């Protein structure tokens, strides 16, 4: 179909995962991914004050775990950024994280992370490599 605009890979992912979020699948993923995430967090050796990216954060349950783990450091609180391609996931993540001062959620793609080089000390990405 010559006049039909082809969707980019990121647009396809955004549409797909917005549908997941609208169906209410975001928070349910905690049940499936908590065990592997807790094992991973132990290996990350997180320290208070570190800056961490949660890549493909969904509705942000793991982002909130990270924010607690890096909360207090010798030079102040650590910061956690949750990045997700699906704006509806990001909207729900923000709504569920109002009590956290050290989290920021951003809509964006893993192919172009909107941050300066070497800003983050560590990155977590749970079941998000699509
Ligand atoms: C299966 S869910 C996992 C969400 C969360 N990590 C969890 O464990 O609950 C995959 C998530 O990755 C996001 N995602 C997929 N491809 C992405 C990309 N290229 N850039 C950013 N986020 C992406 C989706 O929007 C979705 O929220």
């Amino acid at each position: 179909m010559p006049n039909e605009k082809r969707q980019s890979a990121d647009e396809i992912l955004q549409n797909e995962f917005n549908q997941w979020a609208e169906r209410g699948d975001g928070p349910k993923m905690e049940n499936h991914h908590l065990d592997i995430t807790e094992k991973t967090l132990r290996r990350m050796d997180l320290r208070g004050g570190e800056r961490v990216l949660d890549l493909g954060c969904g509705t942000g349950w793991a982002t909130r775990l990270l924010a607690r783990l890096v909360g207090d450091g010798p030079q102040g609180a650590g910061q956690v950024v949750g990045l997700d391609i699906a704006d509806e996931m990001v909207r729900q993540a923000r709504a569920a994280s109002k009590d956290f001062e050290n989290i920021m959620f951003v809509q964006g793609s893993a192919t172009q992370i909107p941050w300066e080089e070497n800003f983050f000390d560590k990155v977590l990405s749970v079941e998000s490599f699509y």
Side-chain angles (χ1 to χ4, degrees), residues 10 13 17-18 20 26 29-30 33 37 54-59 61-62 83-86 89 108-111 125-130:
D10 278 349
L13 286 167
F17 284 105
N18 272 339
W20 286 39
M29 287 189 266
E30 181 172 3
H33 303 160
T37 302
D54 184 4
L55 185 57
C57 61
T59 51
W61 57 270
L83 179 79
D84 202 285
I85 194 94
M89 289 286 187
S109 169
T111 58
S125 188
V126 183
E127 300 276 348
S128 298
F129 191 27
Y130 285 80

Side-chain angles (χ1 to χ4, degrees), residues 2-4 10 18-19 25-27 31 38 41 48 55 79 84 90 93 95 101 103 110-111 114-115 123 125 129-130:
N3 291 328
E4 193 173 300
D10 278 349
N18 272 339
Q19 287 174 35
D25 288 346
N31 295 333
E38 284 181 335
L41 291 177
L55 185 57
Q79 294 293 320
D84 202 285
V90 169
E101 291 183 356
I103 294 181
T111 58
W115 246 267
V123 179
S125 188
F129 191 27
Y130 285 80

Side-chain angles (χ1 to χ4, degrees), residues 111-128:
T111 58
Q112 209 167 19
I113 296 167
W115 246 267
E116 66 195 74
E117 294 274 322
N118 298 318
F119 179 84
F120 296 104
D121 299 300
K122 289 171 185 163
V123 179
L124 174 73
S125 188
V126 183
E127 300 276 348
S128 298

Side-chain angles (χ1 to χ4, degrees), residues 43-104:
R43 296 178 71 119
M44 286 174 76
D45 188 26
L46 290 158
R47 310 282 167 95
E50 286 187 319
R51 301 196 281 207
V52 187
L53 174 66
D54 184 4
L55 185 57
C57 61
T59 51
W61 57 270
T63 323
R64 292 185 286 279
L65 288 180
L66 288 166
R68 289 192 190 97
L69 289 167
V70 301
D72 289 321
Q75 261 93 47
Q79 294 293 320
V80 186
V81 173
L83 179 79
D84 202 285
I85 194 94
D87 41 295
E88 181 57 21
M89 289 286 187
V90 169
R91 193 190 66 74
Q92 292 184 23
R94 285 183 182 142
S97 308
K98 291 198 170 120
D99 294 341
F100 289 79
E101 291 183 356
N102 63 333
I103 294 181
M104 180 188 295

